[in-house]
Amino acid sequence: MAGAVLLARDDAQDAAVETVLAVAETVALSPFTVESLAAPDPVSRLQPYAESTRLATHTDFIVVMAPDRRRYSHPKPELIGQRFTGAIEGALNGGQVVEVFAGSLGESVRAVVPVRAGDGRIVGLVSVGITTEEINRRLTRQLPTLAVVTAAALALAAAGAWLLSRRLRRQTHGLGPAEMTRMYEYHDAVLHAVREGLVVVDGNGRVTLVNDEGRRLLGLPEDTGTDRLVADLDLPAAVDELLASGRPAEDEVVVAGDRVLVANQRVTRFAGRRLGTVLTLRDHTDLRLLAGELDSVRGLTDALRAQAHEAANRLHTVLTMVELGRTDEAVRLATAELAVAQQLTDQVVGAVTEPALAALLLGKSAQAAERGVEFVVADGSRLDGPALPSRDLLTVVGNLVDNALEAVAGTEPPRRVTVFVRADDDEVVVRVGDSGPGLPADRVTDAFRRGWSTKQDGRGLGLALVGQVIRRHGGRHTVGTAPTGGALVTVRLPRRS
């Protein structure tokens, strides 16, 4: 309020200066004033004119004087003829004088201007003033209005501040500045320290946060900024689809480059309003590979257990036939089964000198036999020495065979899976065909990028893991139709130097 009063006082004083200057200039430029100064009795003409003008303009004095300071008009007639007190030098030089001066009427704001004759000579001066007391009276009359306006402004500012504070409290869930600072520091440290990828997307599809682990898992550069649309980021296809859809997901397996990720996505809401989605990612690449190898071992164990049970039945049969004296038939039964098993073993071991791959093929043949599937290692298969890392070779062959076995499951006999593995000087070729329903042409891309299988849910990781190995080694793949009518998948990988 005090500041407003001071500003109003300054404005009132400036207005007074403008008023006295305007009135002084008007009187000085009046032809009547010039004529009166040249008359024999200037006082009789100028005193009534000055007083009427003073009353009309609401000023406190109008003094017309000679250049030697002698007054020709004054609100106090007894002072007419006496010398004017105050500065006039600037006006005598053709300029203006504006000052606050304590004269005969008290302190006042006054202006002095020259009166010029027709030839330009200064023949007199005009001084017009408003007392400081009058300025204060005018200001006092304005104080109620000023107080009302100030109070209204303060009330409006207070209401605005209250509304702004209420909105900020609502936006910050009631947290104060210190609490928000601490929360930001703690949350920022936690988000960058956790070993789980985090991606936050707002309701407009813009990525607002990606932590360090999320950048690593998704292959995003460190300088990739946030506040960008999901479509503008070079994300793996499966992750891009999940973020764009905004649908909830729980422990969904997605393939991102060479990694197998488990994704969970939740929709965030506040007060019933959807704010966006939060996606978390866990790296399960090594775990999935180990789980696949464990499944292969478990399958081989089950097959060996079944074969042991079957062998025990045949052994009992042979022994019974020997006891019955039918030794020739017993020998033929025993050697026939042995010849079939030995023939496949000799074929695999003779064609594949890589022990891990040979063991894998024998194990898959046992699984196929248990499922009633004919397992054939195609003629011309040959693999000498470590042409590729064993782990990658087992991933390609094992997953292709598993997919083929899944494809023929439940189909009408005869069910058949054919495997061809060969290495030359430049590349390793793996070809697996089956007698199943085949792989639709429009699903080939999805199968190798996002995971697809012939299972009921249509999703798996077999071909996706094969696709990882192909991309890592710079290989290629083709999908065609096998002679038996099913899918024929061919993978070509450059041989390791």
Side-chain angles (χ1 to χ4, degrees):
M1 181 66 180
V5 171
L6 292 176
L7 290 175
R9 182 177 179 180
D10 291 340
D11 291 341
Q13 187 166 335
D14 292 341
V17 170
E18 292 177 0
T19 299
V20 296
L21 271 175
V23 174
E25 291 284 356
T26 301
V27 174
L29 293 175
S30 172
F32 180 80
T33 303
V34 177
E35 293 174 1
S36 298
L37 287 172
D41 186 12
V43 174
S44 62
R45 293 169 60 93
L46 291 173
Q47 173 67 6
Y49 172 67
E51 284 300 297
S52 63
T53 303
R54 178 183 69 82
L55 295 175
T57 57
H58 303 287
T59 53
D60 290 317
F61 65 85
I62 296 179
V63 177
V64 182
M65 70 191 86
D68 61 358
R69 294 179 178 264
R70 189 171 68 254
R71 298 187 181 104
Y72 293 139
S73 67
H74 197 279
K76 294 182 178 180
E78 64 270 18
L79 296 180
I80 295 175
Q82 297 184 13
R83 295 178 62 82
F84 178 79
T85 57
I88 64 171
E89 288 75 12
L92 288 174
N93 293 328
Q96 298 175 340
V97 176
V98 177
E99 64 176 348
V100 177
F101 186 80
S104 58
L105 297 179
E107 185 178 81
S108 62
V109 175
R110 61 177 62 182
V112 182
V113 298
V115 180
R116 297 179 183 274
D119 56 4
R121 292 180 300 106
I122 297 177
V123 296
L125 302 172
V126 176
S127 176
V128 179
I130 299 177
T131 62
T132 304
E133 183 180 356
E134 177 62 23
I135 295 175
N136 291 336
R137 279 198 298 269
R138 294 180 182 181
L139 180 61
T140 302
R141 288 194 295 270
Q142 295 176 358
L143 283 180
T145 303
L146 181 63
V148 171
V149 172
T150 303
L154 289 175
L156 183 62
W162 179 77
L163 291 174
L164 180 61
S165 174
R166 183 179 178 183
R167 176 176 175 80
L168 289 175
R169 287 282 182 177
R170 186 169 63 251
Q171 293 291 333
T172 60
H173 299 234
L175 297 177
E179 297 168 316
M180 290 181 61
T181 300
R182 286 196 302 270
M183 183 181 69
Y184 171 79
E185 292 172 349
Y186 295 155
H187 285 197
D188 186 67
V190 170
L191 290 176
H192 290 286
V194 295
R195 301 301 298 170
E196 187 168 287
L198 179 66
V199 181
V200 180
V201 179
D202 65 14
N204 298 321
R206 291 186 174 273
V207 177
T208 59
L209 173 67
V210 182
N211 70 346
D212 297 342
E213 183 68 3
R215 294 179 189 274
R216 185 185 73 84
L217 295 178
L218 298 177
L220 296 176
E222 290 295 331
D223 58 350
T224 301
T226 55
D227 196 26
R228 296 177 59 183
L229 291 173
V230 173
D232 294 338
L233 296 178
D234 187 16
L235 296 174
V239 179
D240 183 73
E241 182 274 329
L242 188 58
L243 287 175
S245 67
R247 58 181 174 82
E250 183 173 352
D251 292 337
E252 184 171 318
V253 178
V254 297
V255 178
D258 292 339
R259 296 185 176 90
V260 177
L261 309 179
V262 175
N264 286 274
Q265 184 163 266
R266 293 288 183 273
V267 177
T268 58
R269 298 181 184 276
F270 178 72
R273 181 168 57 93
R274 176 173 176 147
L275 301 180
T277 56
V278 177
L279 174 68
T280 59
L281 301 168
R282 295 193 306 274
D283 193 354
H284 274 215
T285 305
D286 294 336
L287 180 60
R288 288 286 172 172
L289 291 175
L290 292 175
E293 294 177 5
L294 180 60
D295 288 341
S296 297
V297 173
R298 185 182 293 113
L300 179 59
T301 302
D302 292 340
L304 291 176
R305 184 182 297 112
Q307 287 188 355
H309 186 271
E310 185 67 19
N313 290 335
R314 291 196 183 96
L315 181 59
H316 291 155
T317 302
V318 171
L319 290 176
T320 302
M321 293 177 70
V322 170
E323 290 177 355
L324 294 175
R326 306 176 68 172
T327 55
D328 293 338
E329 296 178 12
V331 171
R332 283 195 302 271
L333 177 62
T335 55
E337 293 295 333
L338 180 60
V340 173
Q342 189 62 40
Q343 180 182 2
L344 179 60
T345 302
D346 291 342
Q347 182 186 10
V348 172
V349 174
V352 179
T353 59
E354 172 68 29
L357 182 58
L360 176 68
L361 292 175
L362 292 175
K364 295 302 181 184
S365 69
Q367 291 183 29
E370 184 181 357
R371 299 181 185 185
V373 178
E374 180 184 3
F375 186 83
V376 179
V377 177
D379 294 337
S381 297
R382 191 75 188 176
L383 184 62
D384 296 323
L388 287 173
S390 297
R391 186 173 185 176
D392 291 341
L393 192 58
L394 294 179
T395 297
V396 173
V397 177
N399 282 288
L400 290 181
V401 172
D402 286 341
N403 261 43
L405 291 175
E406 290 287 346
V408 300
T411 61
E412 294 295 327
R415 294 184 287 270
R416 186 174 187 179
V417 172
T418 304
V419 180
F420 174 83
V421 181
R422 188 172 184 86
D424 55 24
D425 295 337
D426 298 325
E427 64 181 6
V428 177
V429 180
V430 178
R431 184 179 297 114
V432 178
D434 60 69
S435 59
L439 182 61
D442 59 343
R443 303 304 300 274
V444 173
T445 301
D446 286 342
F448 281 89
R449 287 187 179 177
R450 296 167 51 192
W452 184 88
S453 75
T454 54
K455 298 175 184 177
Q456 184 177 1
D457 60 3
R459 298 189 62 83
L461 283 175
L463 292 180
L465 295 176
V466 174
Q468 288 182 1
V469 177
I470 294 173
R471 288 189 293 272
R472 186 161 58 245
H473 288 274
R476 61 189 189 279
H477 69 274
T478 58
V479 178
T481 304
T484 53
L488 180 65
V489 181
T490 302
V491 175
R492 298 178 182 272
L493 301 173
R495 185 162 182 164
R496 183 179 61 179
S497 59

